[in-house]
């Protein structure tokens, strides 16, 4: 296992669409392990493969926030098949947009079909933080970021700030 560098805004990689996974082998298990380690190290509660530069439909999630009892879950080729009418607002952040938080409204409960690491079909009914986290991470697979839900003005401010930061960091050689 190894910790991978996380791709940051405004890197255009974050806007790429991820392709479905078809092969369930040791490489995939290794990718899941690397993603899990990277997520815990950050620390975060969810990570999509595209956030470490791999455009494949895989997520790791652990909303337990329990240091002693970690329960990472891997979601491959996830698809939202049902949304509740009821909405929920959470303050969201993103490992690719560090230290920026904003409230986003999303369906309060969802049903997601996905494959596990062995390629077996699974279904999860999620609500609360898990529902928000899964929607946020599944958005990443479509090149969508949580700042896309904010006003144009707010979004442009965030992108400008991170573009400036990226330039500053690039100058440090
Ligand atoms: Zn994110």
């Amino acid at each position: 296992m190894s910790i991978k560098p996380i791709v940051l805004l405004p890197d255009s990689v974050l806007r790429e669409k991820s392709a479905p996974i078809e092969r369930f082998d040791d490489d995939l298990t290794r990718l899941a392990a690397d993603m899990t380690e990277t997520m815990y190290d950050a620390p975060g509660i969810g990570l999509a493969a595209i956030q470490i530069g791999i455009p494949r439909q895989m997520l790791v999630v652990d909303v337990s926030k329990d240091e002693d009892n970690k329960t990472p879950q891997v979601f491959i080729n996830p698809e939202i098949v049902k949304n509740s009418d009821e909405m929920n607002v959470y303050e969201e952040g993103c490992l690719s947009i560090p230290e920026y938080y904003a409230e986003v409204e999303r369906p309060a409960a969802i049903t997601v079909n996905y494959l596990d690491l062995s390629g077996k079909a699974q279904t999860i009914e999620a609500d609360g933080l898990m529902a928000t986290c899964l929607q946020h991470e599944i958005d990443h697979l479509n090149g969508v970021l949580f700042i896309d839900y904010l006003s144009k003005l707010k979004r442009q401010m965030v992108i400008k700030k991170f573009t400036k930061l990226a330039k500053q960091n690039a100058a440090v050689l």
Side-chain angles (χ1 to χ4, degrees), residues 9-28:
L9 192 75
D11 197 317
S12 60
V13 165
L14 293 171
R15 295 306 189 178
E16 277 181 31
K17 284 199 175 181
S18 297
I21 286 166
E22 285 158 4
R23 209 180 314 146
F24 296 81
D25 55 10
D26 289 350
D27 285 346
L28 195 69

Side-chain angles (χ1 to χ4, degrees), residues 81-114:
V81 292
K82 211 164 113 192
N83 283 307
S84 66
D85 293 331
E86 192 198 331
M87 304 293 277
N88 209 345
V89 176
Y90 266 104
E91 189 171 63
E92 295 187 25
C94 180
L95 294 178
S96 295
I97 313 171
E99 287 165 49
Y100 181 78
Y101 304 92
E103 286 190 338
V104 177
E105 187 182 48
R106 299 180 188 269
I110 55 167
T111 305
V112 177
N113 288 345
Y114 66 100

Side-chain angles (χ1 to χ4, degrees), residues 1-2 4 21-35 49 52 54 56 58 74 76 117:
M1 292 205 295
S2 56
K4 304 290 182 190
I21 286 166
E22 285 158 4
R23 209 180 314 146
F24 296 81
D25 55 10
D26 289 350
D27 285 346
L28 195 69
T29 307
R30 217 167 297 131
L31 174 60
D34 286 348
M35 283 172 61
I52 56 167
I54 297 169
R56 293 286 176 274
M58 168 135 70
V74 179
I76 294 163
L117 263 181

Side-chain angles (χ1 to χ4, degrees), residues 123-156:
T123 298
I124 183 174
E125 285 176 24
D127 59 10
L129 183 57
M130 187 62 169
T132 285
C133 185
L134 277 174
Q135 289 174 82
H136 175 120
E137 301 308 332
I138 290 170
D139 273 352
H140 274 300
L141 305 182
N142 294 310
V144 175
L145 301 170
F146 84 97
I147 56 170
D148 298 345
Y149 296 92
L150 309 180
S151 69
K152 197 176 171 189
L153 184 69
K154 270 192 191 169
R155 184 167 61 251
Q156 282 172 342

